[in-house]
Amino acid sequence: MIPDLSFQDVRLIQIPIYQDNYVYALHDDVQDVTAVIDPGDGEPVIEALEQEGWRADTILVTHHHWDHVNGIEAVKQHFDSVVVGYLYDAKRIPHIDVKLEEGERVTVGRFQSEVMFIPGHTLTHIAYYFPELKLLFSGDTLFSLGCGRLFEGTAGQMMTSLARLMALPDDTVVCCTHEYTETNVAFAKTIDPHNPHVLEREDEVARLRAKSQPTVPMLLGEEKKANPFLRWRDSTIQESLNLLGEKDVEVFAEIRRRKDVF
Ligand code: ZN
Ligand code: FE
């Protein structure tokens, strides 16, 4: 669910594009500044922003995949936006202006976000973390009850990246870019069928999807309890994979492998 940030004079909106992508727009009401995250398409983003009376001052990009960058040109042209991305992804992000490295900060209105280098889905994937707003834009790395496919990175890299995200506070709101939760719940049940947090999420997701409502953003604390891709240490999951006591990375890799063919 989109968090209510009005007490900080901030608004966050979620713009659905294509089959199952979300673009986010974060607006600081005090400075009247907007950041758009991963505009995979132009028209719907421009339309949504104009409806709010916002301008896309900044475009934040998590990684180079087409469904995250294809709208950059149109949005930038329309609003004269500054495009921000990872230094080592710069060749693959069209119209990039500001190239950042791990640990560097980017300012949106009164707020700062930290760049977190989280390879796995791609080798140059980053997240934007706004500590004061408790917001994490996780791109295609952490989904609700899922994680991104390993297009470029290894299971070990993805596991390390997810472990870094897991170390953030439990009340962090995870703004991920895909509506995959229904399938992810079904998969989670195959390896963690008795987890009450998975079953609770299943009910919630069914209710939301029946009304065509988004199931994300979600709370990091809830994910830690239900998302199998964050639970490689859990003995119940290890047991159901016949990997009790195995190395973390072996367990994680097996979960990822099973999901790939689910
Ligand atoms: Zn992607
Ligand atoms: Fe994607």
Side-chain angles (χ1 to χ4, degrees), residues 159-193:
M159 193 186 79
T160 306
S161 296
L162 292 171
R164 274 194 77 189
L165 299 183
M166 260 202 287
L168 299 174
D170 278 355
D171 57 354
T172 303
V173 174
V174 183
C175 303
C176 62
T177 39
H178 286 279
E179 181 61 63
Y180 289 159
T181 319
E182 223 165 12
T183 322
N184 289 345
V185 167
F187 172 72
K189 283 181 70 183
T190 65
I191 58 172
D192 199 10

Side-chain angles (χ1 to χ4, degrees), residues 85-255:
Y86 189 42
L87 172 63
Y88 304 103
D89 211 7
K91 286 204 179 82
R92 308 196 284 187
I93 297 173
H95 307 288
I96 188 167
D97 299 299
V98 179
K99 301 162 191 175
L100 297 175
E101 287 194 69
E102 157 70 29
E104 286 198 280
R105 283 154 201 273
V106 49
T107 301
V108 177
R110 293 164 295 151
F111 303 95
Q112 288 211 317
S113 76
E114 293 164 20
V115 170
M116 296 176 77
F117 174 49
I118 46 167
H121 178 65
T122 71
L123 284 173
T124 46
H125 192 300
I126 58 172
Y128 297 90
Y129 173 52
F130 290 79
E132 299 140 296
L133 296 172
K134 300 177 190 295
L135 291 179
L136 173 74
F137 294 96
S138 63
D140 282 358
T141 298
L142 176 58
F143 298 128
S144 183
L145 271 69
C147 78
R149 271 177 197 272
L150 303 176
F151 281 113
E152 296 175 2
T154 64
Q157 284 173 319
M158 180 58 104
M159 193 186 79
T160 306
S161 296
L162 292 171
R164 274 194 77 189
L165 299 183
M166 260 202 287
L168 299 174
D170 278 355
D171 57 354
T172 303
V173 174
V174 183
C175 303
C176 62
T177 39
H178 286 279
E179 181 61 63
Y180 289 159
T181 319
E182 223 165 12
T183 322
N184 289 345
V185 167
F187 172 72
K189 283 181 70 183
T190 65
I191 58 172
D192 199 10
H194 307 298
N195 183 341
H197 304 286
V198 172
L199 301 175
E200 227 169 82
R201 188 76 171 123
E202 181 181 35
D203 287 342
E204 189 189 12
V205 168
R207 267 200 310 278
L208 289 166
R209 295 314 290 158
K211 294 181 280 181
S212 301
Q213 283 174 9
T215 63
V216 299
M218 66 286 186
L219 274 179
L220 185 60
E222 302 294 317
E223 284 302 305
K224 285 195 212 169
K225 294 186 254 176
N227 188 332
F229 292 93
L230 302 179
R231 293 166 47 70
W232 58 82
R233 284 268 169 86
D234 184 85
S235 58
T236 314
I237 289 186
Q238 290 181 358
E239 217 161 336
S240 85
L241 299 171
N242 280 319
L243 293 174
L244 192 60
E246 261 301 331
K247 280 205 215 106
D248 290 352
V249 68
E250 296 304 328
V251 179
F252 180 81
E254 177 61 16
I255 300 171

Side-chain angles (χ1 to χ4, degrees), residues 13 15-17 23-25 34 36 39-56 59 70-81:
I13 63 167
I15 306 152
I17 59 166
V23 178
Y24 295 92
T34 310
V36 170
D41 197 4
E43 266 319 297
V45 174
I46 293 167
E47 216 170 276
L49 264 65
E50 300 227 291
Q51 209 162 355
E52 300 289 344
W54 302 349
R55 303 179 45 79
I59 294 173
N70 270 18
I72 290 177
E73 183 163 284
V75 174
K76 184 181 169 79
Q77 206 161 55
H78 194 89
F79 295 109
D80 196 22
S81 325

